[in-house]
């Protein structure tokens, strides 16, 4: 549908944000030049990294208010000092950035088109290394209104990898900035219902029913109600239990314990381990394999998998890990401290081969680490790490719930409290794509839901019971499992006032200077003198006065 004259609102008109008054900027590298130079309405000055490009350099901009935009142009204007590879993020608080809204390779003028965003902040981060500085003379923020229907998505494929989950992937519309509406029907050509809208090129339908045949189709959409023809509908029967490999790895990243001290553009390219291309690789240039060396992968969110495949580079063929331990984790602090312990390995002292197919129990995890356990007279070259689901025996994923993310612990600052007091329950780490709720004796506490923030979460507890934290995310319910429950619960006991360790005692015999408290603990020690009368609550711990509260 075209934008008619009757609704030619701002939504359907180009906007160039040329007035950057008040905009501020920050960057990871700005020793000699201000990041504000990238957004000062002046192409004759610039911000420079003043260091050759390595992954995860960044510059962020605060536009002071939320703006609608779908295009950013980075004008380098400085030789070859443009970004070799970038990821663009947006945010409304400058703290939570989520997944990239666009990734790609740069040029002297880097034009980044993406699905329309409403955000106050944007951040550009390098994804690869390059033997040049990174320079931005000026960054331009625009909203480009669509003028025609987008080209359709193509090559839609559907896979069912368990009895309630169907997964779809497709090739993006040739029109930049499109998002995608996913529709489902039980008829091949009618009665389609909208399941959701995404900006990426994959979708997981967690609401399918076992043994039902569905038809899925995808429609590319732009602002102003422009939309493509639907793709041809594809047919899938839920519960097919096909083997399955996660192909969309745009949000994945990797890191390694070793990087070459002087050739960063060559050895810092850890992303080549997870870029979906078997012909690109990271390697430990000039460094033979040593016990303790490691590589780690962050898949960006929790994935379910029971197989990991590790490909070394094809030439020479023996630069695969000699022997290693394999770990998985959901703990952000593990990722931050990849060199230290991740708890017990899932697989111990495995002898590597090129194209190492590692079958493991079904996992729900975000992070993977491979750590060498022997020295080997070869460099380490990793071309690609894949994870997936292999249908062996029982249909994987038939369980209505999946394991609680591992590695979390729940603690209480006090396990015994007096009536009217509260204890603090702490979950040691949280995932940003998961919601957590507090349960007492397996009953959810109303209103206790908290969104994961990557760090600690805390709740108050004021009643007796066994407290646990249950996580939910992406429409999936995580369930308790025996091992996790042990680490994941804490028991709180509330003692009524006037009983047990919460006894109150009267105080008498008040004289001008001295108060005698007529109470002694079980060891015969007199309570400390108090300066006024009143009711005192004495708390005990194994017969010893712990504290006295008026
Ligand atoms: Ca400038
Ligand atoms: Ca690769």
């Amino acid at each position: 549908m075209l934008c008619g004259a009757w609704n030619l609102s701002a939504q359907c008109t180009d906007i160039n944000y040329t007035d950057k008054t008040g905009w501020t900027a920050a960057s990871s590298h700005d020793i000699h030049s201000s990041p504000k130079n990238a957004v000062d309405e002046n192409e004759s000055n610039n911000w420079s990294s003043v260091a050759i490009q390595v992954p995860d350099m960044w510059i962020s901009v605060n536009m002071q208010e939320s703006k609608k935009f779908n295009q950013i142009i980075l004008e380098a204007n400085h030789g070859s000092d443009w970004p070799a590879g970038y990821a663009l993020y947006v945010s409304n608080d400058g703290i939570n950035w989520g997944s990239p809204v666009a990734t790609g390779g740069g040029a002297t003028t880097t034009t980044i088109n993406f699905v329309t965003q409403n955000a106050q902040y944007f951040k550009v981060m390098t994804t690869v290394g390059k033997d040049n500085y990174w320079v931005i003379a000026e960054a331009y923020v625009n909203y480009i209104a669509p003028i025609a229907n987008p080209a359709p998505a193509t090559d839609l494929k559907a896979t069912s990898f368990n009895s309630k989950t169907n997964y779809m992937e497709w090739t993006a519309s040739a029109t930049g900035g499109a998002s995608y509406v996913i529709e489902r029907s039980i008829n091949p050509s009618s009665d389609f219902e909208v399941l959701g809208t995404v900006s990426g090129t994959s979708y997981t339908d967690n609401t399918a029913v076992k043994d039902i045949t569905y038809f899925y189709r995808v429609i590319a959409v732009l602002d102003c109600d422009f939309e493509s023809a639907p793709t041809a509908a594809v047919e899938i029967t839920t519960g097919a239990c096909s083997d399955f490999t996660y192909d969309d790895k745009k949000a994945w990243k990797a890191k390694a314990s070793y990087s070459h001290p002087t050739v960063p553009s060559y050895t810092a390219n850890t992303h080549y381990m997870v870029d979906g291309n078997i012909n690109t690789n990271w390697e430990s240039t000039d460094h033979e394999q040593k016990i303790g060396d490691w590589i780690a992968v962050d898949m960006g969110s929790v994935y379910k998998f029971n197989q990991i495949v590790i490909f070394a580079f094809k030439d020479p063929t023996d630069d695969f890990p000699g022997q290693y331990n394999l770990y998985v984790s959901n703990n952000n602090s593990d990722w931050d401290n990849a060199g230290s312990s991740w708890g017990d390995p899932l697989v111990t002292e495995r002898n590597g081969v090129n194209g190492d197919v590692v079958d493991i129990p079904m996992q729900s995890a975000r992070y993977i680490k491979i750590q060498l356990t022997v020295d080997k007279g070869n460099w380490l070259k990793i071309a690609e790490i894949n994870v997936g689901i292999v249908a062996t025996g029982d249909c994987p994923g038939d369980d209505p719930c999946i394991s609680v993310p591992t590695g979390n612990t729940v603690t209480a600052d006090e396990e015994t409290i007096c009536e009217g007091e509260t204890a603090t329950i702490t979950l040691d780490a949280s995932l940003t794509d998961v919601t957590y709720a507090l349960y007492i004796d397996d009953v959810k506490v109303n209103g206790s839901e908290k969104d994961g923030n990557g760090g600690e979460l805390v709740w108050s507890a004021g009643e007796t019971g066994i407290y646990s934290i249950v996580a939910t995310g992406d429409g999936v319910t995580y369930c308790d499992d025996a091992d996790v429950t042990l680490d994941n619960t804490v028991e709180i006991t509330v003692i009524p006032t006037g009983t047990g360790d919460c006894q109150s005692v009267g105080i008498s015999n008040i004289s001008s200077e001295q108060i005698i408290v007529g109470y002694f603990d079980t060891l015969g020690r007199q309570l400390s003198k108090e300066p006024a009368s009143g009711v005192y609550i004495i708390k005990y711990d194994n017969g010893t006065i712990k504290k006295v509260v008026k």
Side-chain angles (χ1 to χ4, degrees), residues 500-501 503 519-525 538-547:
D501 288 347
Q503 294 182 65
Y519 195 89
F520 293 79
D521 69 18
T522 54
L523 299 178
R525 295 175 299 197
I538 302 173
K539 293 183 69 178
Y540 280 88
D541 184 7
N542 289 328
T544 303
I545 293 175
K546 200 174 165 191
K547 64 180 177 181

Side-chain angles (χ1 to χ4, degrees), residues 272 275 277 280 383-384:
Y272 283 143
D275 67 347
N277 183 350
T280 57
E384 202 65 21

Side-chain angles (χ1 to χ4, degrees), residues 252-258 270-271 273-274 282 293-299 325-329 334-340 342 366-371 380 382 385:
W252 293 29
K253 57 186 180 180
K255 59 185 178 180
S257 60
Y258 179 79
T270 51
H271 71 289
M273 290 190 264
V274 290
W282 166 85
D293 287 353
W294 52 262
I295 54 175
V297 174
D298 175 4
M299 297 185 285
N325 286 344
L326 174 74
Y327 303 79
V328 302
S329 173
D334 282 343
W335 172 253
D336 294 338
N337 303 286
S340 50
W342 280 27
R366 172 170 173 174
Y367 305 105
I368 299 167
K369 184 173 81 164
I370 292 158
Q371 189 153 29
L380 182 59
I382 302 293
I385 296 175

